[in-house]
Amino acid sequence: SAASDVYKRQACDFSGWSGEIIKQFAIQTLPTNILLSPTGRIEGKNLDEKAIENKLKEIAEKEKEKSLTTNH
């Protein structure tokens, strides 16, 4: 599935709840997942596999539409 093919990275700075990553992404519970675009934009947070798949399809469609309008 598209969701299982997503590049996955884990982050831990061993600072607990006062860590920069926790603050930067406003994480309040663990485990947490955050879907980031290649530019670093947050596309989703705490998504299940189906929601990740849907979001990836939505992003792909937007990129496809954008490339069609910029190429014509």
Side-chain angles (χ1 to χ4, degrees), residues 28-49:
Q28 297 177 359
T29 61
L30 295 177
T32 293
N33 69 57
I34 302 169
L35 180 62
L36 298 174
S37 72
T39 62
R41 179 173 180 251
I42 296 175
E43 296 289 344
K45 203 169 176 183
N46 296 322
L47 304 174
D48 61 21
E49 187 172 347

PDB file of all heavy atoms in Angstrom, residues 28-49:
ATOM      1  N   GLN A  28       1.449  16.066  21.950  1.00  0.00           N
ATOM      2  CA  GLN A  28       0.867  15.961  23.278  1.00  0.00           C
ATOM      3  C   GLN A  28       0.678  14.520  23.735  1.00  0.00           C
ATOM      4  O   GLN A  28       0.416  14.278  24.905  1.00  0.00           O
ATOM      5  CB  GLN A  28      -0.472  16.697  23.301  1.00  0.00           C
ATOM      6  CG  GLN A  28      -0.309  18.167  23.028  1.00  0.00           C
ATOM      7  CD  GLN A  28      -1.639  18.902  22.985  1.00  0.00           C
ATOM      8  OE1 GLN A  28      -2.692  18.315  23.134  1.00  0.00           O
ATOM      9  NE2 GLN A  28      -1.578  20.200  22.774  1.00  0.00           N
ATOM     10  N   THR A  29       0.772  13.566  22.804  1.00  0.00           N
ATOM     11  CA  THR A  29       0.621  12.161  23.155  1.00  0.00           C
ATOM     12  C   THR A  29       1.645  11.334  22.384  1.00  0.00           C
ATOM     13  O   THR A  29       2.137  11.750  21.339  1.00  0.00           O
ATOM     14  CB  THR A  29      -0.782  11.626  22.809  1.00  0.00           C
ATOM     15  OG1 THR A  29      -0.989  11.756  21.400  1.00  0.00           O
ATOM     16  CG2 THR A  29      -1.873  12.365  23.552  1.00  0.00           C
ATOM     17  N   LEU A  30       1.939  10.176  22.918  1.00  0.00           N
ATOM     18  CA  LEU A  30       2.819   9.221  22.242  1.00  0.00           C
ATOM     19  C   LEU A  30       2.089   7.903  22.121  1.00  0.00           C
ATOM     20  O   LEU A  30       1.344   7.538  23.033  1.00  0.00           O
ATOM     21  CB  LEU A  30       4.111   9.024  23.039  1.00  0.00           C
ATOM     22  CG  LEU A  30       5.015  10.252  23.141  1.00  0.00           C
ATOM     23  CD1 LEU A  30       6.209   9.938  24.019  1.00  0.00           C
ATOM     24  CD2 LEU A  30       5.470  10.734  21.785  1.00  0.00           C
ATOM     25  N   PRO A  31       2.256   7.157  21.069  1.00  0.00           N
ATOM     26  CA  PRO A  31       3.015   7.540  19.883  1.00  0.00           C
ATOM     27  C   PRO A  31       2.266   8.584  19.062  1.00  0.00           C
ATOM     28  O   PRO A  31       1.047   8.709  19.155  1.00  0.00           O
ATOM     29  CB  PRO A  31       3.153   6.249  19.101  1.00  0.00           C
ATOM     30  CG  PRO A  31       1.977   5.433  19.496  1.00  0.00           C
ATOM     31  CD  PRO A  31       1.664   5.825  20.919  1.00  0.00           C
ATOM     32  N   THR A  32       3.006   9.337  18.283  1.00  0.00           N
ATOM     33  CA  THR A  32       2.461  10.359  17.385  1.00  0.00           C
ATOM     34  C   THR A  32       3.070  10.155  16.009  1.00  0.00           C
ATOM     35  O   THR A  32       4.248   9.814  15.908  1.00  0.00           O
ATOM     36  CB  THR A  32       2.817  11.768  17.898  1.00  0.00           C
ATOM     37  OG1 THR A  32       2.134  11.990  19.121  1.00  0.00           O
ATOM     38  CG2 THR A  32       2.433  12.849  16.910  1.00  0.00           C
ATOM     39  N   ASN A  33       2.276  10.351  14.970  1.00  0.00           N
ATOM     40  CA  ASN A  33       2.857  10.369  13.627  1.00  0.00           C
ATOM     41  C   ASN A  33       2.483  11.670  12.957  1.00  0.00           C
ATOM     42  O   ASN A  33       1.427  12.232  13.213  1.00  0.00           O
ATOM     43  CB  ASN A  33       2.449   9.150  12.785  1.00  0.00           C
ATOM     44  CG  ASN A  33       0.987   9.138  12.407  1.00  0.00           C
ATOM     45  OD1 ASN A  33       0.477  10.063  11.787  1.00  0.00           O
ATOM     46  ND2 ASN A  33       0.288   8.065  12.756  1.00  0.00           N
ATOM     47  N   ILE A  34       3.412  12.167  12.158  1.00  0.00           N
ATOM     48  CA  ILE A  34       3.213  13.434  11.454  1.00  0.00           C
ATOM     49  C   ILE A  34       3.616  13.199  10.000  1.00  0.00           C
ATOM     50  O   ILE A  34       4.727  12.765   9.732  1.00  0.00           O
ATOM     51  CB  ILE A  34       4.060  14.562  12.071  1.00  0.00           C
ATOM     52  CG1 ILE A  34       3.696  14.736  13.550  1.00  0.00           C
ATOM     53  CG2 ILE A  34       3.879  15.864  11.302  1.00  0.00           C
ATOM     54  CD1 ILE A  34       4.631  15.621  14.326  1.00  0.00           C
ATOM     55  N   LEU A  35       2.705  13.479   9.086  1.00  0.00           N
ATOM     56  CA  LEU A  35       2.977  13.341   7.661  1.00  0.00           C
ATOM     57  C   LEU A  35       3.445  14.695   7.146  1.00  0.00           C
ATOM     58  O   LEU A  35       2.703  15.672   7.177  1.00  0.00           O
ATOM     59  CB  LEU A  35       1.719  12.881   6.912  1.00  0.00           C
ATOM     60  CG  LEU A  35       1.855  12.695   5.410  1.00  0.00           C
ATOM     61  CD1 LEU A  35       2.884  11.609   5.095  1.00  0.00           C
ATOM     62  CD2 LEU A  35       0.511  12.346   4.803  1.00  0.00           C
ATOM     63  N   LEU A  36       4.709  14.747   6.710  1.00  0.00           N
ATOM     64  CA  LEU A  36       5.299  15.985   6.207  1.00  0.00           C
ATOM     65  C   LEU A  36       5.453  15.921   4.702  1.00  0.00           C
ATOM     66  O   LEU A  36       5.797  14.879   4.149  1.00  0.00           O
ATOM     67  CB  LEU A  36       6.688  16.210   6.828  1.00  0.00           C
ATOM     68  CG  LEU A  36       6.748  16.366   8.335  1.00  0.00           C
ATOM     69  CD1 LEU A  36       8.197  16.432   8.795  1.00  0.00           C
ATOM     70  CD2 LEU A  36       6.001  17.603   8.780  1.00  0.00           C
ATOM     71  N   SER A  37       5.243  17.061   4.060  1.00  0.00           N
ATOM     72  CA  SER A  37       5.508  17.162   2.627  1.00  0.00           C
ATOM     73  C   SER A  37       7.020  17.262   2.434  1.00  0.00           C
ATOM     74  O   SER A  37       7.760  17.509   3.398  1.00  0.00           O
ATOM     75  CB  SER A  37       4.826  18.395   2.051  1.00  0.00           C
ATOM     76  OG  SER A  37       5.507  19.557   2.473  1.00  0.00           O
ATOM     77  N   PRO A  38       7.500  17.103   1.210  1.00  0.00           N
ATOM     78  CA  PRO A  38       8.940  17.265   0.968  1.00  0.00           C
ATOM     79  C   PRO A  38       9.460  18.651   1.363  1.00  0.00           C
ATOM     80  O   PRO A  38      10.627  18.812   1.677  1.00  0.00           O
ATOM     81  CB  PRO A  38       9.084  17.042  -0.538  1.00  0.00           C
ATOM     82  CG  PRO A  38       7.943  16.142  -0.879  1.00  0.00           C
ATOM     83  CD  PRO A  38       6.814  16.610   0.019  1.00  0.00           C
ATOM     84  N   THR A  39       8.574  19.640   1.393  1.00  0.00           N
ATOM     85  CA  THR A  39       8.987  20.993   1.783  1.00  0.00           C
ATOM     86  C   THR A  39       8.903  21.221   3.290  1.00  0.00           C
ATOM     87  O   THR A  39       9.252  22.289   3.766  1.00  0.00           O
ATOM     88  CB  THR A  39       8.120  22.049   1.071  1.00  0.00           C
ATOM     89  OG1 THR A  39       6.763  21.879   1.471  1.00  0.00           O
ATOM     90  CG2 THR A  39       8.252  21.962  -0.430  1.00  0.00           C
ATOM     91  N   GLY A  40       8.413  20.217   4.039  1.00  0.00           N
ATOM     92  CA  GLY A  40       8.321  20.330   5.489  1.00  0.00           C
ATOM     93  C   GLY A  40       6.971  20.775   5.997  1.00  0.00           C
ATOM     94  O   GLY A  40       6.789  20.947   7.200  1.00  0.00           O
ATOM     95  N   ARG A  41       6.009  20.932   5.111  1.00  0.00           N
ATOM     96  CA  ARG A  41       4.652  21.330   5.518  1.00  0.00           C
ATOM     97  C   ARG A  41       3.953  20.139   6.166  1.00  0.00           C
ATOM     98  O   ARG A  41       4.020  19.017   5.671  1.00  0.00           O
ATOM     99  CB  ARG A  41       3.871  21.777   4.282  1.00  0.00           C
ATOM    100  CG  ARG A  41       2.455  22.195   4.585  1.00  0.00           C
ATOM    101  CD  ARG A  41       1.790  22.783   3.330  1.00  0.00           C
ATOM    102  NE  ARG A  41       0.439  23.167   3.644  1.00  0.00           N
ATOM    103  CZ  ARG A  41      -0.633  22.536   3.197  1.00  0.00           C
ATOM    104  NH1 ARG A  41      -0.511  21.517   2.375  1.00  0.00           N
ATOM    105  NH2 ARG A  41      -1.831  22.936   3.544  1.00  0.00           N
ATOM    106  N   ILE A  42       3.276  20.366   7.276  1.00  0.00           N
ATOM    107  CA  ILE A  42       2.532  19.297   7.942  1.00  0.00           C
ATOM    108  C   ILE A  42       1.276  19.021   7.131  1.00  0.00           C
ATOM    109  O   ILE A  42       0.434  19.889   6.950  1.00  0.00           O
ATOM    110  CB  ILE A  42       2.175  19.674   9.395  1.00  0.00           C
ATOM    111  CG1 ILE A  42       3.439  19.834  10.216  1.00  0.00           C
ATOM    112  CG2 ILE A  42       1.255  18.613  10.003  1.00  0.00           C
ATOM    113  CD1 ILE A  42       3.205  20.318  11.633  1.00  0.00           C
ATOM    114  N   GLU A  43       1.157  17.806   6.626  1.00  0.00           N
ATOM    115  CA  GLU A  43       0.006  17.392   5.825  1.00  0.00           C
ATOM    116  C   GLU A  43      -1.013  16.614   6.646  1.00  0.00           C
ATOM    117  O   GLU A  43      -2.156  16.484   6.250  1.00  0.00           O
ATOM    118  CB  GLU A  43       0.463  16.539   4.638  1.00  0.00           C
ATOM    119  CG  GLU A  43       1.348  17.276   3.649  1.00  0.00           C
ATOM    120  CD  GLU A  43       0.592  18.315   2.837  1.00  0.00           C
ATOM    121  OE1 GLU A  43      -0.648  18.276   2.801  1.00  0.00           O
ATOM    122  OE2 GLU A  43       1.255  19.164   2.231  1.00  0.00           O
ATOM    123  N   GLY A  44      -0.595  16.092   7.769  1.00  0.00           N
ATOM    124  CA  GLY A  44      -1.507  15.344   8.625  1.00  0.00           C
ATOM    125  C   GLY A  44      -0.808  14.938   9.903  1.00  0.00           C
ATOM    126  O   GLY A  44       0.418  14.886   9.980  1.00  0.00           O
ATOM    127  N   LYS A  45      -1.602  14.651  10.914  1.00  0.00           N
ATOM    128  CA  LYS A  45      -1.064  14.287  12.222  1.00  0.00           C
ATOM    129  C   LYS A  45      -1.912  13.171  12.814  1.00  0.00           C
ATOM    130  O   LYS A  45      -3.138  13.232  12.757  1.00  0.00           O
ATOM    131  CB  LYS A  45      -1.101  15.528  13.116  1.00  0.00           C
ATOM    132  CG  LYS A  45      -0.138  15.516  14.255  1.00  0.00           C
ATOM    133  CD  LYS A  45      -0.088  16.894  14.900  1.00  0.00           C
ATOM    134  CE  LYS A  45       0.801  16.876  16.103  1.00  0.00           C
ATOM    135  NZ  LYS A  45       0.829  18.151  16.795  1.00  0.00           N
ATOM    136  N   ASN A  46      -1.245  12.147  13.349  1.00  0.00           N
ATOM    137  CA  ASN A  46      -1.896  11.003  13.980  1.00  0.00           C
ATOM    138  C   ASN A  46      -2.901  10.322  13.051  1.00  0.00           C
ATOM    139  O   ASN A  46      -4.026  10.030  13.430  1.00  0.00           O
ATOM    140  CB  ASN A  46      -2.550  11.414  15.297  1.00  0.00           C
ATOM    141  CG  ASN A  46      -1.515  11.864  16.303  1.00  0.00           C
ATOM    142  OD1 ASN A  46      -0.437  11.299  16.375  1.00  0.00           O
ATOM    143  ND2 ASN A  46      -1.820  12.894  17.046  1.00  0.00           N
ATOM    144  N   LEU A  47      -2.459  10.079  11.830  1.00  0.00           N
ATOM    145  CA  LEU A  47      -3.309   9.445  10.821  1.00  0.00           C
ATOM    146  C   LEU A  47      -3.175   7.931  10.881  1.00  0.00           C
ATOM    147  O   LEU A  47      -2.080   7.413  11.113  1.00  0.00           O
ATOM    148  CB  LEU A  47      -2.898   9.931   9.422  1.00  0.00           C
ATOM    149  CG  LEU A  47      -2.899  11.440   9.198  1.00  0.00           C
ATOM    150  CD1 LEU A  47      -2.321  11.761   7.830  1.00  0.00           C
ATOM    151  CD2 LEU A  47      -4.296  11.991   9.338  1.00  0.00           C
ATOM    152  N   ASP A  48      -4.283   7.232  10.642  1.00  0.00           N
ATOM    153  CA  ASP A  48      -4.185   5.781  10.504  1.00  0.00           C
ATOM    154  C   ASP A  48      -3.767   5.474   9.060  1.00  0.00           C
ATOM    155  O   ASP A  48      -3.647   6.371   8.222  1.00  0.00           O
ATOM    156  CB  ASP A  48      -5.492   5.091  10.882  1.00  0.00           C
ATOM    157  CG  ASP A  48      -6.674   5.493  10.015  1.00  0.00           C
ATOM    158  OD1 ASP A  48      -6.488   5.978   8.884  1.00  0.00           O
ATOM    159  OD2 ASP A  48      -7.816   5.312  10.467  1.00  0.00           O
ATOM    160  N   GLU A  49      -3.528   4.205   8.775  1.00  0.00           N
ATOM    161  CA  GLU A  49      -3.008   3.824   7.458  1.00  0.00           C
ATOM    162  C   GLU A  49      -3.914   4.267   6.315  1.00  0.00           C
ATOM    163  O   GLU A  49      -3.449   4.780   5.300  1.00  0.00           O
ATOM    164  CB  GLU A  49      -2.787   2.310   7.402  1.00  0.00           C
ATOM    165  CG  GLU A  49      -2.097   1.878   6.125  1.00  0.00           C
ATOM    166  CD  GLU A  49      -1.692   0.421   6.128  1.00  0.00           C
ATOM    167  OE1 GLU A  49      -1.712  -0.226   7.189  1.00  0.00           O
ATOM    168  OE2 GLU A  49      -1.342  -0.068   5.045  1.00  0.00           O
TER     169      GLU A  49
END
